[in-house]
């Protein structure tokens, strides 16, 4: 279940679902080695339930896969969408920050789309039933200038802290964001935390060096043959003089160096800092030598493939050698001499759908072709084979999903829906790219798709877990509110026990339905857990700060000692006095010697003797910790069951 189109095993939902047969029996999983699976009978009707948090209103893409337990190659699947209606009367807030494309050269630049001032856009987002999209803005000069408000890593990080989404755009030749003081690193950290970012047309470029700090010539002979005037050198041919004259010699440079891979535009991983084996050499350092590679000489292609995701194999080389050219520019850029950039040769106002998903379905259902503002191809090929999510997490699926490609032009019609070269709209986890920005946006279809992306990409807050005492050890059992205990005497004295129940068994059902994105740090995902504690009313207890009552409670978690789950597995209390859980389940607990908690002491002042509580309450507290945007989010929920006294009398 997700929005990004990659339904991987990392997003498998077995710990959240309940499967019942036609008789209401809850099915349990069978374990065989590393595999856990359900054994379902042919011809039987089953009901699968995955409860959604009560305040989760995004559209969910789901996939149900049924596989033969005898042969995993025999399987079938069904996909669909689910949406919970918001009946709370309150819209969820999505805070968005747009970084407008002002430049030092043109400080008055307005870009091609100012979201805050676009009446059509504002009207559309106001009509969304479930979400309140709030737009705030800063300028690129606020980040780049010496006196800018956010011109350091720390300042920009603080500004980004309270927003759920950043939009960088919109403009033709969007200005480079400086990393002189770590500003781009702040954006990178923001993305790594799982927060969403939308890149737009021309935020990246083919400028992979700093023109103002580079050698302006390249050698054509051995360095020893240079003369003092550099006559044995030729002008470097890989820069655009028009950009230099316009003061844009570093257009997209910093973003290319640090964010290109995260945007999915680094096919051969030329910017990767992953280390190759024990050599200490990074993938980037190896590829930037500008040398063709041979498998087994200096590098293993098998290892390089795992790290980079793709290799620039030479044609006819049987995958034993690779080219030195590893920037992976799009076919259109390589052929730019045959294409008049920014003319009818490459401009189009149509995009065609490649894939369907939540991002194309809600809140607006998008067609197979849509009208867009004039735009053109981009500069870098997409890394379609890479399986290394935002935080280096491999999930068995390629990372990039292309939703729309440029179409309806002779250039794009030559290779319809060419996702590698002619992409218009794609996602990579919590990162989204759109071709919007080359020209002024006014088409409603393009605006609708952009709003869909904003809603789909915004992650959700952590939600409270659920816990209840139930009547039996079953995840679907009814809630139990009251339990009676019996005594054969109305009063007690030291050395005797009158409560007939020497132990009391109870059952609790624990459920955590968080819908936190799977595109988070793997270590954070693994740290997600729930803990259980048990308390009972006791005169000898103490006041618990977050308890639902002001009375004294005694922590009896260690006295209980062991839980037994629905599958028959046991969980022992940890040294910290907590039960640590990793998944939803029903649990059985045994309270030993309950009499010690049910007695009341007499009082000489009141004249009352020693007796038993008419009402006592047993509590369970569940604490859920999930990691959202790199920060732990902890929530708790309490439930209780009343223990009521029942006196037995002798019959004559």
């Amino acid at each position: 279940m997700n929005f990004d189109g990659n339904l991987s095993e990392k997003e498998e939902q077995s710990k959240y679902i309940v499967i019942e047969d036609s008789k209401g029996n809850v099915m349990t999983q069978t374990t065989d080695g590393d595999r856990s699976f359900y054994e379902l009978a042919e011809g039987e009707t089953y009901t699968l339930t995955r409860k959604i948090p009560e305040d989760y209103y995004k559209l969910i893409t789901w996939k149900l896969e049924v596989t033969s337990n005898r042969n995993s190659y025999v399987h079938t699947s069904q996909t669909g969408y689910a949406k919970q209606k918001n009946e709370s009367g309150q819209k969820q807030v999505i805070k968005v920050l747009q970084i407008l494309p002002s430049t030092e050269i043109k400080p008055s630049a307005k870009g091609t789309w100012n979201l805050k001032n676009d009446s059509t856009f504002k009207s559309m987002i106001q009509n969304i039933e479930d979400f309140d999209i709030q737009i705030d803005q800063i300028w690129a000069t606020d980040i780049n200038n010496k006196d800018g408000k956010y011109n350091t890593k720390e300042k920009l990080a603080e500004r980004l802290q309270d927003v759920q989404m950043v939009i960088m755009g919109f403009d033709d030749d969007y200005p480079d964001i400086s990393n002189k003081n770590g500003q781009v690193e702040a954006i990178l950290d923001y993305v790594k935390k799982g927060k969403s970012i939308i890149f737009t047309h021309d935020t990246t470029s083919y400028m992979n060096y700093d023109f103002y700090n580079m050698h302006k010539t390249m050698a054509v002979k051995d360095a020893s043959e240079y003369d003092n005037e550099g006559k044995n050198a030729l002008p470097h041919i890989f820069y655009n003089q028009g950009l230099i004259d316009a003061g844009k010699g570093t257009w997209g440079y910093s973003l290319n160096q640090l964010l290109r891979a995260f945007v999915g535009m680094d096919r051969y991983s030329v910017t990767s800092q992953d280390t190759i084996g024990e050599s200490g050499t990074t993938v980037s350092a190896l590829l930037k030598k500008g040398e063709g590679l041979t498998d087994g000489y200096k590098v293993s292609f098998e290892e390089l493939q795992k790290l980079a995701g793709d290799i620039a194999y030479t044609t006819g080389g049987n995958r034993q050698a690779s080219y030195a050219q590893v920037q992976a520019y799009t076919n259109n850029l390589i052929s730019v001499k045959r294409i008049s950039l920014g003319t009818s040769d490459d401009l189009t106002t149509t995009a065609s759908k490649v894939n369907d998903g939540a991002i194309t379905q809600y809140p607006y259902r998008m067609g197979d072709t849509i009208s867009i503002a004039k735009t053109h191809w981009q500069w870098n090929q997409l890394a379609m084979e890479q399986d290394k999510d935002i935080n280096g997490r491999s999930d068995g699926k390629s990372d990039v999903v292309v939703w729309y490609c440029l179409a309806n032009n002779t250039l794009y019609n030559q290779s319809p829906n060419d996702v590698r070269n002619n992409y218009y709209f794609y996602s990579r986890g919590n990162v989204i790219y759109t071709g919007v920005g080359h020209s002024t946006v006014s088409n409603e279809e393009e605006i609708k798709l952009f709003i869909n992306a904003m809603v789909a990409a915004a992650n959700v807050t952590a939600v409270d877990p659920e816990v209840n005492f139930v009547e039996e050890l079953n995840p679907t059992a009814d809630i139990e509110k009251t339990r009676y205990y019996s005594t054969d005497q109305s009063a007690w004295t030291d050395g005797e026990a009158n409560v007939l129940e020497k132990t009391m068994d109870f059952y609790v059902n624990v459920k955590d339905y968080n819908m936190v994105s799977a595109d988070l740090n793997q270590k954070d995902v693994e740290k997600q857990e729930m803990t259980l504690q048990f308390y009972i009313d006791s005169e000898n207890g103490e006041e618990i700060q977050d308890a639902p009552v002001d009375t004294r409670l005694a922590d009896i978690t260690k006295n209980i000692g062991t839980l037994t789950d629905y599958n028959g597995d046991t969980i022992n209390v940890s040294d910290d006095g907590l039960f640590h859980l990793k998944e939803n389940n029903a649990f059985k607990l045994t309270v030993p010697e309950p009499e010690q908690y049910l007695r009341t002491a007499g009082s000489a002042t009141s004249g009352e003797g020693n007796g038993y509580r008419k009402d006592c309450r047993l509590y369970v507290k569940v604490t859920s910790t999930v990691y959202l945007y790199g920060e732990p989010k902890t929530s708790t929920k309490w439930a209780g069951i009343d223990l009521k006294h029942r006196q037995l009398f002798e019959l004559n």
Side-chain angles (χ1 to χ4, degrees):
M1 298 171 65
N2 65 15
F3 85 89
D4 65 13
N6 278 328
L7 293 163
S8 71
E9 291 184 1
K10 296 288 186 181
E11 295 167 315
E12 198 263 340
Q13 300 286 303
S14 62
K15 69 178 183 179
Y16 297 114
I17 66 174
V18 174
I19 298 178
E20 297 177 76
D21 64 17
S22 58
K23 298 178 181 179
N25 298 316
V26 176
M27 310 305 294
T28 61
Q29 287 189 316
T30 299
T31 301
D32 182 9
D34 295 333
R35 293 177 61 231
S36 294
F37 51 89
Y38 292 97
E39 293 184 319
L40 307 180
E42 183 179 355
E44 174 65 89
T45 299
Y46 296 94
T47 301
L48 184 152
T49 303
R50 200 296 190 192
K51 188 173 179 180
I52 304 301
E54 62 182 15
D55 58 352
Y56 190 91
Y57 307 123
K58 291 170 59 173
L59 187 73
I60 299 168
T61 304
W62 57 263
K63 178 181 180 181
L64 176 64
E65 185 172 273
V66 179
T67 304
S68 169
N69 290 330
R70 295 180 179 178
N71 185 348
S72 61
Y73 291 102
V74 178
H75 58 85
T76 187
S77 63
Q78 181 75 37
T79 58
Y81 306 101
K83 170 76 173 66
Q84 182 171 227
K85 187 175 182 180
N86 182 0
E87 296 180 335
S88 69
Q90 300 293 322
K91 292 185 177 183
Q92 289 184 343
V93 175
I94 300 176
K95 293 184 178 180
V96 179
L97 180 68
Q98 181 184 7
I99 303 178
L100 292 164
S102 60
T103 69
E104 294 185 17
I105 304 301
K106 297 189 302 178
S108 61
K110 301 298 183 184
T112 57
W113 196 14
N114 186 315
L115 298 177
K116 208 168 185 179
N117 295 339
D118 187 319
S119 58
T120 302
F121 173 78
K122 289 194 294 184
S123 175
M124 285 184 176
I125 62 174
Q126 287 171 359
N127 290 332
I128 299 174
E129 293 182 356
D130 303 319
F131 301 97
D132 176 14
I133 299 176
Q134 299 178 0
I135 306 293
D136 202 357
Q137 297 171 327
I138 62 174
W139 298 92
T141 45
D142 292 331
I143 301 173
N144 291 338
N145 285 4
K146 292 180 180 179
D147 58 350
K149 297 178 183 178
Y150 314 110
N151 65 351
T152 67
K153 181 178 181 179
E154 295 73 22
K155 291 178 181 178
L156 185 55
E158 184 177 357
R159 181 64 183 86
L160 299 179
Q161 186 173 357
D162 295 327
V163 299
Q164 294 167 270
M165 180 179 298
V166 169
I167 297 173
M168 299 183 67
F170 305 83
D171 203 6
D172 208 29
D173 304 339
Y174 186 87
D176 187 48
I177 300 298
S178 172
N179 194 45
K180 185 176 181 180
N181 298 316
Q183 299 98 308
V184 178
E185 293 174 18
I187 298 174
L188 180 58
D189 290 344
Y190 176 90
V191 176
K192 285 183 175 181
K193 289 179 179 179
K195 291 193 175 184
S196 301
I197 189 164
I198 297 180
F199 291 91
T200 65
H201 176 89
D202 278 3
T203 47
T204 57
S205 71
Y206 53 84
M207 307 289 278
N208 291 303
Y209 48 80
D210 183 350
F211 173 81
Y212 302 108
N213 291 286
M214 60 166 278
H215 296 289
K216 301 302 189 293
T217 58
M218 65 179 181
V220 293
K221 295 184 178 181
D222 187 274
S224 63
E225 299 183 35
Y226 277 133
D227 58 29
N228 292 333
E229 298 179 2
K231 290 182 179 179
N232 290 324
L234 291 175
H236 200 290
I237 61 174
F238 296 104
Y239 62 80
N240 185 317
Q241 190 61 51
L243 291 173
I244 306 303
D245 295 340
K248 297 182 178 181
T250 57
W251 162 46
Y253 172 74
S254 295
L255 296 178
N256 289 347
Q257 299 305 302
L258 292 175
L259 292 179
R260 179 176 161 189
F262 287 89
V263 186
M265 291 184 177
D266 191 3
R267 177 178 179 180
Y268 299 122
S269 296
V270 71
T271 65
S272 171
Q273 297 304 307
D274 288 339
T275 301
I276 302 172
E278 298 178 357
S279 66
T281 302
T282 65
V283 174
S284 179
L286 177 67
L287 298 182
K288 285 182 178 179
K289 290 180 179 179
E291 301 173 349
L293 302 175
T294 301
D295 186 20
Y297 177 69
K298 295 185 179 180
V299 66
S300 161
F301 275 14
E302 181 180 0
E303 184 175 7
L304 183 60
Q305 179 77 33
K306 289 179 180 178
L307 294 173
D310 204 352
I311 296 175
Y313 295 111
T314 57
T315 303
N318 198 28
R319 296 199 167 196
Q320 298 300 305
S322 68
Y323 292 111
Q325 292 77 15
V326 290
Q327 291 294 345
Y329 295 126
T330 56
N331 294 347
N332 300 321
L333 179 57
I334 294 172
S335 306
V336 73
K337 293 296 183 182
R338 297 187 293 103
I339 303 170
S340 297
L341 185 61
T343 69
S344 58
D345 280 359
D346 70 342
L347 289 178
T348 184
T349 57
T350 303
S352 62
K353 186 188 291 182
V354 181
N355 285 296
D356 250 326
I359 208 167
T360 65
Q361 295 291 320
Y362 177 79
Y364 299 104
R365 184 170 296 180
M366 307 307 301
D368 291 339
T369 59
I370 61 172
S371 297
I372 59 177
K374 281 186 179 180
T375 192
H376 59 77
W377 48 271
Q378 286 292 274
W379 320 105
N380 300 296
Q381 289 187 333
L382 296 186
M384 300 301 298
E385 285 80 19
Q386 283 185 356
D387 176 21
K388 191 177 293 183
D389 296 340
I390 300 303
N391 286 289
R393 182 177 182 229
S394 296
D395 58 9
K397 298 287 186 180
S398 58
D399 302 332
V400 173
V401 178
V402 177
W403 303 101
Y404 280 89
C405 280
L406 299 173
N408 199 25
N409 175 292
T410 301
L411 176 65
Y412 309 123
N413 291 344
Q414 291 174 354
S415 182
N417 283 350
D418 183 346
V419 295
R420 178 89 75 185
N421 297 282
N422 298 333
Y423 49 88
Y424 165 74
F425 201 101
Y426 71 85
S427 60
R428 181 177 184 261
N430 55 317
V431 175
I432 289 177
Y433 167 84
T434 171
V436 178
H438 176 76
S439 52
T440 302
V441 177
S442 60
N443 190 290
E444 287 194 5
E445 285 186 310
E446 191 166 34
I447 297 174
K448 287 178 179 179
L449 180 59
F450 190 77
I451 292 174
N452 281 11
M454 296 174 71
V455 171
N459 215 324
V460 294
T461 58
V463 299
D464 292 340
E466 291 184 8
V467 63
N468 287 293
F469 283 93
V470 292
E471 295 179 349
E472 59 181 323
L473 185 58
N474 190 312
T476 63
D478 292 332
I479 294 174
E480 184 178 24
K481 297 181 179 180
T482 304
R483 179 77 67 85
Y484 289 92
Y485 72 93
S486 301
T487 64
D488 56 11
Q489 299 291 334
S490 60
W492 59 269
T493 59
D494 290 334
E496 68 177 13
N498 299 317
V499 175
L500 300 185
E501 293 84 359
K502 305 308 177 186
T503 63
M504 295 184 74
D505 292 338
F506 296 90
Y507 309 98
V508 293
N509 199 358
V510 183
K511 298 178 181 180
D512 186 2
Y513 295 115
N514 271 294
M515 298 291 290
V516 174
S517 170
D519 296 306
L520 304 180
N521 187 291
Q522 178 63 26
K523 292 181 180 179
D524 286 348
V525 172
E526 292 172 351
K527 286 189 292 185
Q528 295 178 185
E529 69 165 0
M530 292 181 289
T531 61
L532 286 187
Q533 289 172 274
F534 294 91
Y535 297 86
I536 196 167
D537 287 332
S538 174
E539 296 175 351
N540 298 320
E542 58 186 35
E543 292 186 5
I544 307 300
Q545 186 173 4
D546 63 342
V549 292
D550 296 331
T551 55
R552 292 180 175 274
L553 302 178
D555 186 342
I556 61 171
T557 310
K558 287 188 175 181
N559 293 354
I560 292 170
T562 301
L563 298 177
T564 302
D565 68 19
Y566 181 67
N567 305 317
D569 298 324
T570 58
I571 301 173
N572 295 323
V573 67
S574 298
D575 292 339
D576 59 4
L578 304 172
F579 289 106
H580 292 264
L581 313 178
K582 285 295 185 181
E583 58 186 36
N584 300 342
N585 213 328
F587 300 92
K588 173 187 173 182
L589 60 125
T590 299
V591 178
E593 301 178 4
E595 178 151 346
Q596 60 185 308
Y597 311 113
L598 301 174
R599 288 179 171 182
T600 58
S603 170
T605 304
S606 64
E608 294 181 358
N610 297 331
Y612 290 93
R613 290 176 176 271
K614 293 182 179 179
D615 293 290
C616 182
R617 194 163 175 82
L618 174 66
Y619 295 92
V620 57
K621 173 186 176 183
V622 58
T623 301
S624 170
T625 301
V626 298
Y627 285 76
L628 186 64
Y629 307 143
E631 300 294 333
K633 303 294 182 182
T634 299
S635 53
T636 61
K637 197 69 173 287
W638 290 71
I641 182 171
D642 291 321
L643 307 181
K644 293 185 176 293
H645 184 207
R646 178 180 288 162
Q647 171 72 48
L648 297 184
F649 298 95
E650 291 186 10
L651 298 176
N652 294 328

